[in-house]
Amino acid sequence: MMKQANFQTQNYIVILTLLFTISCKNSFFYTDLYTMADRKSRFFLDSYAKETGFALSQISVCQDVELANRLRTPGLIKFFPDSIKSGLTSAFKNNMTIKKEITSTRYYMDSDCRFEDEVLAKGLISSIQSACQDCEAVIIPQLKITSKSLKNTYWGGPTGFSEDLGDDKHLLEYKLVTSIYRNDTLIYMDNRTHWTEVIGARGEKLQYQVPQEVIDTLVKLSLEEYFKRMK
């Protein structure tokens, strides 16, 4: 009877260890992953003619701060909007022929993150396209950053042991939606998201610059279907 109990206990420990290992692997797997954010922010035509010039609308950027239920910290992470705008503009120029950049304070660093196709009034597209008569289409980029700051803690497996590492972990999600309009009509929309984490000092108000490599990759992937369908 004792041997059977010991055998069952050993099996229980092995199962818990495997579950913990799988959980850690999935957590690591999702770090620094690029993927499609959702199917709602997608719209394609069957094919696209090769455009000779685009107007690039003012970049829309917002940050949505999620509060941690556990391991809450007074620390937070903030971003450099001008740097993000410059990085996105550079990335689109590397992929598309941009003839004119349109500036507008109305859709810049929108704090309530109300980004979706339906909030883009048709009058906005018309005004952008009228400012560039030889631009065949208008690109509308929207970047939403979701951040969650919490105490950085090491979990010791199935025993439940944990250790406060003394710094903060900022979990970040970047979601880029790229829309293309022609004559007030949406002809293309796609999105990509990227998850990563940043470590900062405990309680620090961290000013963070998004790596250009991340911006370049998000722009390239969000335009992937457009180029695939180009004739």
Side-chain angles (χ1 to χ4, degrees), residues 27 63 65-77 146-155 162-173 196-206:
S27 175
Q63 180 182 0
V65 179
E66 292 186 356
L67 298 178
N69 293 327
R70 298 175 62 251
L71 305 177
R72 189 170 297 181
T73 173
L76 54 82
I77 186 167
T146 302
S147 64
K148 187 174 186 179
S149 301
L150 60 160
K151 295 177 181 179
N152 190 17
T153 303
Y154 171 77
W155 294 94
S162 65
E163 178 184 358
D164 187 345
L165 298 181
D167 48 19
D168 287 345
K169 179 187 293 186
H170 306 281
L171 305 178
L172 305 177
E173 179 192 58
T196 190
E197 60 185 43
V198 174
I199 303 299
R202 174 61 50 81
E204 179 184 8
K205 307 301 188 285
L206 178 63

Side-chain angles (χ1 to χ4, degrees), residues 8-183:
Q8 290 176 342
T9 300
Q10 290 174 357
N11 282 347
Y12 179 71
I13 293 174
V14 169
I15 291 171
L16 286 178
T17 303
L18 286 173
L19 289 174
F20 175 72
T21 303
I22 292 171
S23 176
C24 289
K25 183 177 180 180
N26 287 340
S27 175
F28 177 78
F29 176 75
Y30 281 108
T31 301
D32 293 327
L33 173 72
Y34 292 90
T35 186
M36 183 179 66
D38 59 63
R39 296 188 178 277
K40 178 183 177 183
S41 303
R42 304 192 91 196
F43 176 80
F44 311 131
L45 300 181
D46 291 336
S47 63
Y48 296 97
K50 187 173 183 179
E51 309 282 3
T52 59
F54 293 87
L56 179 64
S57 170
Q58 175 70 56
I59 310 296
S60 299
V61 180
C62 79
Q63 180 182 0
D64 185 11
V65 179
E66 292 186 356
L67 298 178
N69 293 327
R70 298 175 62 251
L71 305 177
R72 189 170 297 181
T73 173
L76 54 82
I77 186 167
K78 291 294 183 181
F79 300 86
F80 296 96
D82 290 336
S83 175
I84 295 173
K85 173 185 178 294
S86 176
L88 283 167
T89 299
S90 174
F92 278 104
K93 284 184 173 180
N94 287 337
N95 287 275
M96 317 287 275
T97 303
I98 306 298
K99 287 191 174 181
K100 189 173 182 64
E101 297 173 47
I102 308 297
T103 58
S104 169
T105 56
R106 181 180 177 187
Y107 288 96
Y108 187 50
M109 211 59 192
D110 187 1
S111 60
D112 63 4
C113 287
R114 292 182 64 249
F115 290 169
E116 293 298 341
D117 178 49
E118 59 266 23
V119 304
L120 297 177
K122 287 189 175 183
L124 172 67
I125 310 301
S126 296
S127 64
I128 292 174
Q129 198 146 11
S130 64
C132 182
Q133 297 295 335
D134 58 343
C135 294
E136 295 176 308
V138 177
I139 301 173
I140 309 285
Q142 302 172 325
L143 178 66
K144 176 181 177 180
I145 304 172
T146 302
S147 64
K148 187 174 186 179
S149 301
L150 60 160
K151 295 177 181 179
N152 190 17
T153 303
Y154 171 77
W155 294 94
T159 61
F161 168 77
S162 65
E163 178 184 358
D164 187 345
L165 298 181
D167 48 19
D168 287 345
K169 179 187 293 186
H170 306 281
L171 305 178
L172 305 177
E173 179 192 58
Y174 305 104
K175 177 186 176 182
L176 176 66
V177 178
T178 298
S179 305
I180 302 178
Y181 287 80
R182 185 189 296 121
N183 299 325

